[in-house]
Amino acid sequence: MAKKIGVIIDFLNDKYERQLNAAAAKYGYEIEYFPSSAEAVGRVDDCEILYGHCSQKVIRSAKSLKWYCCCWAGVDRFCDESLYQNPDCRLTNSSGAYGTTISEHLIMVCLMLLRRQMEYTEIIRAGGWETLSGGIRSLHGARITVLGTGDIGTEFARRAQAFHPACITGVRRTVRSSDPAFTSIHAIAELDSVLPETDLLVMALPSTAETVGILSRERIALLPNSAFVVNVGRGTAIDQEALCDALNAGRLAGAALDVVVPEPLPADHPLRRAKNLLLTPHVAGNMTLGYTCDKSVQMFCDDLENYAAGRPLAHLVDRKRGY
């Protein structure tokens, strides 16, 4: 009897089905496709591997599961050990598939903030046609701090270097050699000394016990009044009330958030009315770019080869650390 893989991906098409079927057959697996997590609950008992957008209910119901390959980069919701009937079940993510699309989103919103695009949009919608006083700002010569230097932070830094910033400072859990796109690397313990020298703070952190609330009210106060904050990691990283207060009081020049708490954001939430805040509904990543889908499927197929050969999985997550 063939071993079984359960696949739940909402971007499935003939191309990906052929690719997945060929990889599975090569290593003696058969695949069962499920159109949604809801339809997979209770039907994955015999699946040794699951790939895709699974709910926690699906993971809990998978009695034979030895490896879950998640389509998302952030897997905090799957790090709870109680989810797994097999405590040795391996968890991998798709970190590496999202750097391109999210870094492009970051460049877009940074330029929109610096060039005051939201203000111009409102003027045009109101029937006006004028040049704002005070001018605009640029990535050229900007002091950029990237909090989180993984795939997304690094891909952003590489692209941002093309605009000739004054510096791109990476801040990460530990100091070690990193991509040459970063001018320097600092440990998170040094964050308080980095923030006052920051024009643009870009946050691309996973959700862990160490990152929740990392941009606190006190740290927001360390940023210059002219600074911008952009977050594409997890909404839990920012004290949202403090950010809202700083924006409304003119203590920050602006912000762009693709991630918030809660999601979706209630219609009457104060963030929706904050000054100079660009909000997007967690769309920087997802599977909206074809390249992301291609990369995710290829990463799974590559790790399936590793799994079948008994080699370490390339994208293994440490559930205790959360990434």
Side-chain angles (χ1 to χ4, degrees):
M1 180 178 174
K3 298 169 288 187
K4 193 170 175 183
I5 300 172
V7 172
I8 309 169
I9 51 175
D10 51 14
F11 57 89
L12 185 69
N13 59 30
D14 289 345
K15 178 181 77 171
Y16 298 132
E17 190 168 344
R18 288 194 299 271
Q19 186 177 356
L20 289 167
N21 287 343
K26 183 177 180 180
Y27 304 112
Y29 287 89
E30 64 178 28
I31 293 183
E32 182 170 0
Y33 294 96
F34 301 97
S36 68
S37 280
E39 296 194 38
V41 175
R43 298 172 58 193
V44 294
D45 284 358
D46 54 349
C47 289
E48 180 179 330
I49 300 168
L50 288 173
Y51 167 54
H53 297 133
C54 295
S55 67
Q56 290 180 324
K57 285 185 178 180
V58 172
I59 302 301
R60 288 186 191 278
S61 69
K63 295 179 181 178
S64 304
L65 187 63
K66 294 183 179 179
W67 170 30
Y68 171 40
C69 176
C70 181
C71 276
W72 293 295
V75 290
D76 42 290
R77 76 192 75 175
F78 299 111
C79 290
D80 182 354
E81 296 294 338
S82 68
L83 287 175
Y84 302 91
Q85 298 195 41
N86 170 17
D88 296 322
C89 179
R90 282 167 276 187
L91 172 66
T92 60
N93 66 3
S94 292
S95 179
Y98 293 93
T100 294
T101 187
I102 297 182
S103 63
E104 289 182 2
H105 176 94
L106 283 167
I107 293 293
M108 175 188 74
V109 297
C110 288
L111 290 174
M112 288 179 71
L113 289 169
L114 290 161
R115 301 184 68 87
R116 304 175 70 180
Q117 181 58 45
M118 292 184 294
E119 295 173 75
Y120 277 114
T121 298
E122 290 304 313
I123 288 171
I124 298 301
R125 284 178 175 171
W129 193 270
E130 63 187 82
T131 300
L132 289 164
S133 62
I136 60 173
R137 292 165 62 188
S138 177
L139 285 170
H140 181 91
R143 299 171 299 175
I144 302 172
T145 296
V146 181
L147 183 50
T149 62
D151 173 54
I152 293 166
T154 298
E155 290 294 332
F156 165 74
R158 290 170 180 169
R159 287 159 176 77
Q161 279 291 1
F163 293 87
H164 306 291
C167 61
I168 302 181
T169 302
V171 181
R172 54 179 296 152
R173 189 172 60 89
T174 58
V175 177
R176 66 184 185 197
S177 60
S178 190
D179 194 278
F182 294 102
T183 310
S184 62
I185 296 291
H186 295 261
I188 286 178
E190 302 173 81
L191 180 59
D192 289 0
S193 64
V194 172
L195 292 177
E197 306 300 321
T198 298
D199 298 315
L200 175 63
L201 174 64
V202 172
M203 303 176 64
L205 293 166
S207 181
T208 68
E210 292 76 22
T211 63
V212 171
I214 191 168
L215 192 63
S216 62
R217 184 176 294 273
E218 293 74 19
R219 282 182 167 148
I220 289 172
L222 293 175
L223 287 163
N225 291 1
S226 57
F228 296 92
V229 174
V230 180
N231 188 18
V232 293
R234 284 291 183 263
T236 54
I238 296 180
D239 181 334
Q240 292 182 165
E241 182 179 353
L243 179 68
C244 200
D245 290 345
L247 290 169
N248 290 334
R251 269 283 299 115
L252 285 176
L257 306 178
D258 187 56
V259 287
V260 292
V261 179
E263 292 181 11
L265 200 64
D268 60 349
H269 197 283
L271 277 177
R272 290 182 181 263
R273 301 185 299 277
K275 291 181 181 178
N276 210 23
L277 175 60
L278 175 57
L279 283 171
T280 47
H282 207 147
V283 294
N286 292 331
M287 290 293 174
T288 52
L289 185 67
Y291 171 82
T292 306
C293 301
D294 292 346
K295 185 74 171 176
S296 176
V297 171
Q298 187 58 56
M299 288 166 63
F300 171 72
C301 291
D302 290 345
D303 250 352
L304 181 61
E305 179 178 348
N306 291 330
Y307 181 86
R311 296 191 297 264
L313 301 180
H315 308 287
L316 190 66
V317 171
D318 183 332
R319 293 204 291 268
K320 290 184 172 60
R321 291 195 304 177
Y323 57 92

